[in-house]
Amino acid sequence: MRDAPHPITMWGLTMGFALIATCWLMVKPRLHEEQPALSVVLHLVLVLPFVSLARLFLVNDTSVLHVAAFGGEDLPLKYRFAATWAAREGPLLMWVGWMSLVAWLWRRPLPGESGANGEAHTMRLRLTHLMTLTLLLVAFSLDPFKQTPAFFIGAGLNPLLQTDLMVIHPPLIFLTYSLCLHLTAIAMAAAFTNKTEQLGPRMLHLARPGLLVATLGIGLGGLWAYLILDWGGYWAWDPVETGSFLPWLALVMIVHLRTRPGKVRPEVWIGGGLITGMLALFATTVTRAGGVWASSVHTFVTSDSSTPPSDVFGRLMVLRDDPAGTEVMSYVVWMFMLIGCWLAVQRSVSTNRELRTQDAWLAGIPAVIALLGGLVFTGSNGVGLSWSSVPQVLFIVPLFLPLLLVGPSRETTPQADSKGWTYHGLLPVPLDLLFTLTVYGLSGDVWIAVAAAVLFVPLYRSNDALKAWPWAAAGVMLGLSLAWSQALTLGVSGMILLAFVMPWLLAPQEEETTAFSPLGKKGQLRLALWGSVIVVSLYLVLTWVLLLTSIDAVNFEAHELYGAPFLAAAGAGLFAYTRRKDDAKTTVRLLFGALTLSALGLFLAPDAFGRDSTASVSEHLTRGHIVWMSLPMLVLAVAPVAREVVEQAKSAKEKKAWKRLPLGAHFVHLGLLMLLLGHLSTTVLVDRGDASHRISLVKDEIIVHEGLGLEFIDLELRNQSLEVGDGFIGVRIAVYEMDGSEVGGLIGEVIPGTLRFDDQGVPRSEVATLTRLTGDVVFIFDGSQAGALMSSAGANGLAGIELVRVTVYDLPHSHLVWVGWMTMMAGMAFVSFVGARGPSKSSKEAPISSSEEE
């Protein structure tokens, strides 16, 4: 350990060098074409601050406050390295490094960026480096290399973070967010340069690897909870989990736009890129705006200052006076700027006025906020003005600025030159603006009003609102979600629904011009292909609303209950698509049969699954009801999806062409079905708040629990040879098969326990998992009794302990979760590899023609 004062300015210089490198690359974004060696050096310089901070952690240089606060000479090297991203400063520098790597890997022209469209290539790279600059300036405001004050004693690395998965899970999440922001750069470059040729393939080049990395990162987070934390499962709808899930859903939506019926208009691709980056920033805000989502159990960066307001925006504004106010305000402004760009794109399309390249300066607004935070407003040292001196309304201004850059239409209004029904003749004032202000006035929530505008504006500006039905469906989902989550009253939610269904209420009735029947193959295929986008999009809206309303309490039941129909719809869509060559009427009969089975199970046998199926989730519904809503459809889809994988593999073998997107895509679908089936068994059917899972064990007596015999043998104390922690107390438990009341053979032994961390004063559960062919049984030692037991064991010896408490969760079919997850990643890796080599050559998977518009 280095105790002597360190020339800290040397490490601060790496930040300065990174700032120069970023600005250089912004000015010369295609420097790699002229001076490749210099370009490599500049990209590496952007990684230098993170490498420098990591090096300080590895040598435990406590002259740096960040190291003194979270490092430790007793930590293994891997945990010292992981401590680099344990707080605010380190992750930002790591994010800067990832942004540099992503920019370098995709430095060459993407589809549609060559030749005359080279301006889009230049703009994309320039915007990417501008986003990197914003993150770097936020890091400057936090001063990651500031000197340790005299007599400072750090708390050290949080015990929950001293795990192997801490070394890899957070970096993967920030790599995902870097890929999401690069997608945003692609979208903004296309919008402001109007170079939208091959925009879809351009977006897919980043969306596919982004989805792979996101799936790996989220899955490892679930594995962390499953193996290390005392959740007794891998998913709990914690706000931080849910936040990271939102960009994943957006990426899923983007990769399925390729196969939806009809032509995908450029503004839809642009919107997908913008919303993906916005949700990545939103997820980051959930994690790093400590105190806003007070319900989160694993937001390790906390603040006690943001509690009074009942809405997310209000709580974020409370953080203006926080030392990390610059970071939070930068994210808020950034998100509003991206949403404003989406609204500007819609206005540009409807008024036939293109956005101008010079107007892309809007992307620099978050960087200006970050710069002001570092130079003028309160930073981590508390010196300077407070952001609270800035009226909070000014942080919403970036939402409107992009709209001001799109002038009024010089063409005829859509009502005059379109035969379709539009909103424009209803009122003499802009109905989209009036609707947004009305929603804000009735809800008092900025985010709800903004979400309503995001979905209503495309519908309002469409030349034929009836053909813009996906936006109406999303708006209806928004209203329903707000009502279900009790964020708004039924009256206000009904007003929102009414605004989105108005075209179908007021438009004159016309005879159907095109025949459509769900009994025909073409109709079923159309529904299945639309479903891949619509179901995911609507589920994204639902999940976002539930997260927005979970600032004080996690609503696990709402996520599972309202999400169950979407799982059933996903199963039905996969079933219909993979049976596209089979008899269409038989497909309908089977779908109707599964739906009937769901209904019968709901009414006649909601407790048929045993375990916690009788646990209530609402006044009239139980966990068993939730399972019945989706299980039959998911099971129905397994066989045809598996058949599709086999047929695609046979076709690839016969044609000696393995590099086909459909093969990997259907592997992903099969893995998803397995994961969802495992989820129903290991998460929905397990009530982790039920006291029946907490078992008192008497020494040398066998207690029967859920068909297993559990025998407390003895306690185990360890103070030596521990990788981390200062002491361990565990309970040795023998697990037996039971045949009624008869004790069968020994299945195995487990030792759940608790690690003691004296410096932090925080114990950490050490979960024990008994793995069987049918699934896992998870054992968790009740940490509340650990201290007393350690004291008793020290005074009277281990033999004096006769009674212990453990929590036991039997999780049959848990292997489906992990096998499904790995299958999904294998398929995604295959799709990413094939997609990077060029467009798919499969004609069978090409979208069918359609007249629908976005």
Side-chain angles (χ1 to χ4, degrees):
M1 183 180 68
R2 184 177 297 171
D3 294 319
H6 190 81
I8 203 163
T9 54
M10 180 182 71
W11 304 112
L13 282 175
T14 62
M15 299 279 290
F17 292 148
L19 181 62
I20 294 172
T22 308
C23 294
W24 198 331
L25 289 170
M26 281 177 54
V27 175
K28 302 282 290 184
R30 297 171 70 172
L31 183 66
H32 60 274
E33 297 175 352
E34 303 171 2
Q35 296 176 285
L38 178 58
S39 179
V40 170
V41 170
L42 293 178
H43 282 83
L44 289 176
V45 168
L46 288 175
V47 187
L48 192 57
F50 173 73
V51 173
S52 300
L53 186 61
R55 183 259 177 197
L56 293 173
F57 269 96
L58 290 174
V59 300
N60 195 40
D61 188 344
T62 55
S63 65
V64 176
L65 178 60
H66 194 38
V67 179
F70 298 100
E73 61 181 343
D74 295 331
L75 288 173
L77 282 178
K78 59 183 177 181
Y79 297 151
R80 292 192 197 180
F81 179 60
T84 310
W85 49 84
R88 294 187 180 277
E89 298 85 344
L92 281 169
L93 298 182
M94 176 172 61
W95 202 350
V96 168
W98 281 134
M99 290 289 290
S100 174
L101 175 64
V102 171
W104 171 254
L105 290 177
W106 279 276
R107 65 193 182 278
R108 296 186 176 87
L110 295 175
E113 290 185 341
S114 302
N117 296 331
E119 187 180 6
H121 179 207
T122 302
M123 178 68 75
R124 168 174 64 86
L125 294 177
R126 181 167 286 138
L127 289 172
T128 299
H129 295 309
L130 181 56
M131 294 175 184
T132 304
L133 175 64
T134 303
L135 296 173
L136 187 59
L137 290 173
V138 171
F140 261 103
S141 73
L142 295 173
D143 192 5
F145 298 103
K146 55 182 171 286
Q147 197 162 6
T148 305
F151 309 111
F152 175 84
I153 300 177
L157 185 62
N158 190 307
L160 296 178
L161 304 181
Q162 297 182 34
T163 72
D164 291 348
L165 288 169
M166 171 64 176
V167 181
I168 187 171
H169 166 63
L172 286 173
I173 294 298
F174 279 100
L175 176 56
T176 299
Y177 296 164
S178 299
L179 290 164
C180 289
L181 289 180
H182 203 97
L183 275 169
T184 298
I186 294 174
M188 292 186 70
F192 284 102
T193 64
N194 300 289
K195 307 296 184 182
T196 57
E197 182 183 348
Q198 290 187 283
L199 182 55
R202 199 185 313 171
M203 299 283 289
L204 291 173
H205 262 267
L206 271 294
R208 285 165 176 157
L211 185 58
L212 170 62
V213 176
T215 305
L216 178 59
I218 294 174
L220 288 176
L223 191 63
W224 186 348
Y226 191 75
L227 297 178
I228 305 299
L229 305 180
D230 55 359
W231 294 10
Y234 69 95
W235 195 261
W237 292 109
D238 180 82
V240 174
E241 284 183 315
T242 310
S244 65
F245 187 47
L246 293 175
W248 187 90
L249 288 172
L251 290 167
V252 171
M253 178 189 67
I254 289 175
V255 300
H256 284 90
L257 282 175
R258 180 185 70 90
T259 58
R260 53 135 280 189
K263 180 182 178 181
V264 182
R265 299 172 64 89
E267 59 266 27
V268 175
W269 287 109
I270 292 172
L274 292 174
I275 195 63
T276 302
M278 181 269 174
L279 290 175
L281 293 169
F282 192 86
T284 306
T285 305
V286 173
T287 305
R288 298 172 67 79
V292 174
W293 274 267
S295 59
S296 176
V297 300
H298 71 291
T299 299
F300 301 112
V301 183
T302 60
S303 169
D304 297 326
S305 62
S306 56
T307 51
S310 60
D311 65 294
V312 169
F313 182 77
R315 292 195 179 184
L316 289 172
M317 290 300 102
V318 171
L319 288 180
R320 287 181 295 163
D321 204 21
D322 191 270
T326 295
E327 180 183 9
V328 177
M329 294 307 104
S330 297
Y331 295 152
V332 170
V333 168
W334 202 341
M335 287 186 281
F336 282 142
M337 184 272 297
L338 293 178
I339 295 171
C341 287
W342 161 246
L343 299 178
V345 167
Q346 287 300 312
R347 184 174 183 182
S348 171
V349 172
S350 65
T351 60
N352 296 314
R353 292 180 66 98
E354 296 181 340
L355 292 171
R356 299 172 300 178
T357 302
Q358 57 266 35
D359 292 336
W361 61 265
L362 288 165
I365 296 176
V368 172
I369 297 297
L371 179 62
L372 290 174
L375 297 178
V376 179
F377 293 96
T378 303
S380 56
N381 57 2
V383 177
L385 295 175
S386 169
W387 279 110
S388 60
S389 61
V390 179
Q392 64 184 41
V393 68
L394 293 181
F395 293 99
I396 310 177
V397 170
L399 180 66
F400 304 101
L401 281 180
L403 290 171
L404 300 178
L405 300 178
V406 183
S409 174
R410 292 177 295 190
E411 308 291 337
T412 56
T413 62
Q415 181 70 22
D417 60 9
S418 173
K419 296 181 180 180
W421 189 94
T422 70
Y423 288 84
H424 302 283
L426 295 179
L427 292 174
V429 297
L431 187 57
D432 53 349
L433 179 60
L434 179 62
F435 174 69
T436 304
L437 293 176
T438 302
V439 172
Y440 175 69
L442 294 174
S443 68
D445 192 301
V446 172
W447 284 112
I448 291 176
V450 169
V454 165
L455 299 177
F456 185 72
V457 167
L459 185 65
Y460 171 75
R461 293 190 173 275
S462 173
N463 290 340
D464 189 345
L466 295 176
K467 291 183 179 180
W469 61 267
W471 298 109
V476 169
M477 188 71 252
L478 176 66
L480 291 175
S481 301
L482 292 169
W484 292 337
S485 63
Q486 299 182 352
L488 298 180
T489 64
L490 289 177
V492 177
S493 300
M495 184 276 294
I496 294 176
L497 264 69
L498 180 62
F500 283 97
V501 300
M502 195 176 295
W504 288 265
L505 298 177
L506 300 181
Q509 298 295 321
E510 297 180 359
E511 294 184 4
E512 188 70 28
T513 57
T514 58
F516 173 80
S517 172
L519 298 178
K521 288 185 178 181
K522 186 176 181 180
Q524 291 178 8
L525 181 59
R526 186 185 303 279
L527 286 174
L529 292 174
W530 263 115
S532 62
V533 176
I534 296 299
V535 170
V536 173
S537 301
L538 299 186
Y539 188 52
L540 172 59
V541 173
L542 170 67
T543 305
W544 180 80
V545 170
L546 293 178
L547 173 60
L548 199 70
T549 57
S550 298
I551 54 178
D552 290 316
V554 176
N555 201 338
F556 175 92
E557 291 79 7
H559 279 287
E560 294 294 345
L561 176 60
Y562 300 134
F566 290 94
L567 302 188
L574 288 172
F575 178 78
Y577 179 76
T578 51
R579 281 184 53 86
R580 62 193 180 278
K581 301 175 185 178
D582 300 321
D583 181 65
K585 293 183 178 179
T586 301
T587 298
V588 172
R589 293 191 192 101
L590 291 172
L591 287 172
F592 181 76
L595 188 61
T596 302
L597 182 59
S598 286
L600 291 175
L602 280 168
F603 288 105
L604 301 179
D607 58 349
F609 304 105
R611 292 186 287 158
D612 295 330
S613 58
T614 58
S616 297
V617 296
S618 69
E619 185 177 357
H620 303 291
L621 297 175
T622 66
R623 290 173 179 260
H625 287 114
I626 295 178
V627 174
W628 274 117
M629 289 180 189
S630 54
L631 180 63
M633 283 294 183
L634 293 175
V635 172
L636 184 67
V638 171
V641 171
R643 182 189 66 177
E644 183 75 21
V645 171
V646 173
E647 289 181 353
Q648 290 288 345
K650 288 181 178 179
S651 176
K653 183 178 180 180
E654 292 172 358
K655 298 178 180 179
K656 296 182 179 180
W658 288 95
K659 299 173 184 177
R660 301 176 70 248
L661 288 176
L663 178 59
H666 291 298
F667 254 103
V668 177
H669 297 155
L670 181 60
L672 177 62
L673 286 174
M674 289 190 290
L675 189 151
L676 292 177
L677 289 171
H679 177 82
L680 294 179
S681 181
T682 61
T683 302
V684 179
L685 284 176
V686 180
D687 184 357
R688 289 176 172 82
D690 192 338
S692 65
H693 293 289
R694 293 191 286 274
I695 312 298
S696 294
L697 298 179
V698 180
K699 193 171 184 178
D700 298 328
E701 291 187 14
I702 296 179
I703 305 297
V704 179
H705 176 71
E706 296 185 356
L708 296 174
L710 309 178
E711 181 184 13
F712 165 34
I713 299 176
D714 56 29
L715 288 176
E716 181 172 316
L717 287 175
R718 291 200 301 267
N719 295 309
Q720 305 294 328
S721 303
L722 296 174
E723 186 178 36
V724 294
D726 301 295
F728 171 82
I729 181 170
V731 184
R732 186 179 298 275
I733 301 172
V735 184
Y736 299 92
E737 292 280 6
M738 296 296 297
D739 183 9
S741 59
E742 297 294 325
V743 179
L746 176 67
I747 300 175
E749 289 188 357
V750 293
I751 309 177
T754 300
L755 277 172
R756 190 182 77 244
F757 292 81
D758 295 337
D759 291 339
Q760 290 91 349
V762 179
R764 188 186 85 190
S765 294
E766 288 289 285
V767 177
T769 302
L770 179 66
T771 300
R772 299 186 295 169
L773 289 177
T774 56
D776 294 337
V777 183
V778 176
F779 296 81
I780 304 169
F781 182 46
D782 188 345
S784 63
Q785 61 182 327
L789 289 178
M790 284 184 176
S791 300
S792 299
N796 306 317
L798 297 177
I801 307 299
E802 297 289 336
L803 181 69
V804 295
R805 290 190 308 274
V806 294
T807 302
V808 182
Y809 297 114
D810 186 14
L811 307 177
H813 317 117
S814 59
H815 303 328
L816 285 176
V817 172
W818 308 114
V819 173
W821 172 55
M822 290 187 289
T823 302
M824 289 176 66
M825 286 192 298
M828 289 175 181
F830 185 87
V831 169
S832 299
F833 173 75
V834 174
R837 299 178 64 88
S840 174
K841 297 180 180 179
S842 174
S843 60
K844 294 182 179 181
E845 301 294 321
I848 60 177
S849 60
S850 172
S851 61
E852 284 93 339
E853 295 180 358
E854 292 70 43

